[in-house]
């Protein structure tokens, strides 16, 4: 009986789990919380923009750990000593 309950609970927990995607194009993510689980939405360009969306909700803004910073090219050999 206990094994059956454990198996059902495991299946229910696995089915409600949602894949979280971090979009590397945006630096800020909104993490929401709810009874059925949470969600992460990485579609914000700034913390103030995300905070406006999070206001009044069970949510928080965080920096995207997978944000792909734009690459910078060195101009005219700066940093080289000749």
């Amino acid at each position: 009986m206990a094994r059956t309950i454990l198996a059902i609970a495991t299946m229910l927990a696995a089915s409600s789990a949602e894949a979280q995607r971090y979009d590397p194009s945006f630096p800020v993510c909104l993490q929401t919380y709810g009874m059925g689980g949470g969600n992460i939405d990485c579609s914000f360009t700034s913390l103030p923009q995300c905070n406006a969306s999070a206001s009044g909700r069970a949510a928080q803004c965080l920096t995207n750990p997978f944000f792909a910073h734009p690459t910078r090219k060195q101009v005219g050999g700066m940093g080289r000593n000749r």
Side-chain angles (χ1 to χ4, degrees), residues 26-30 41-47 50 61-64:
F26 296 95
V28 181
C29 301
L30 173 69
D41 174 16
C42 295
S43 62
F44 299 93
T45 57
S46 68
L47 282 171
C50 180
C61 297
L62 50 110
T63 57
N64 185 349

Side-chain angles (χ1 to χ4, degrees), residues 23-74:
D23 186 342
S25 303
F26 296 95
V28 181
C29 301
L30 173 69
Q31 182 174 9
T32 56
Y33 305 96
M35 294 295 287
N39 188 37
I40 295 177
D41 174 16
C42 295
S43 62
F44 299 93
T45 57
S46 68
L47 282 171
Q49 179 191 30
C50 180
N51 286 333
S53 183
S55 180
R57 301 168 62 184
Q60 70 176 0
C61 297
L62 50 110
T63 57
N64 185 349
F66 300 103
F67 175 59
H69 296 280
T71 57
R72 295 181 183 162
K73 290 186 178 181
Q74 218 172 18

Side-chain angles (χ1 to χ4, degrees), residues 1-10:
M1 178 74 160
R3 287 185 183 183
T4 303
I5 293 171
L6 180 60
I8 292 171
T10 303

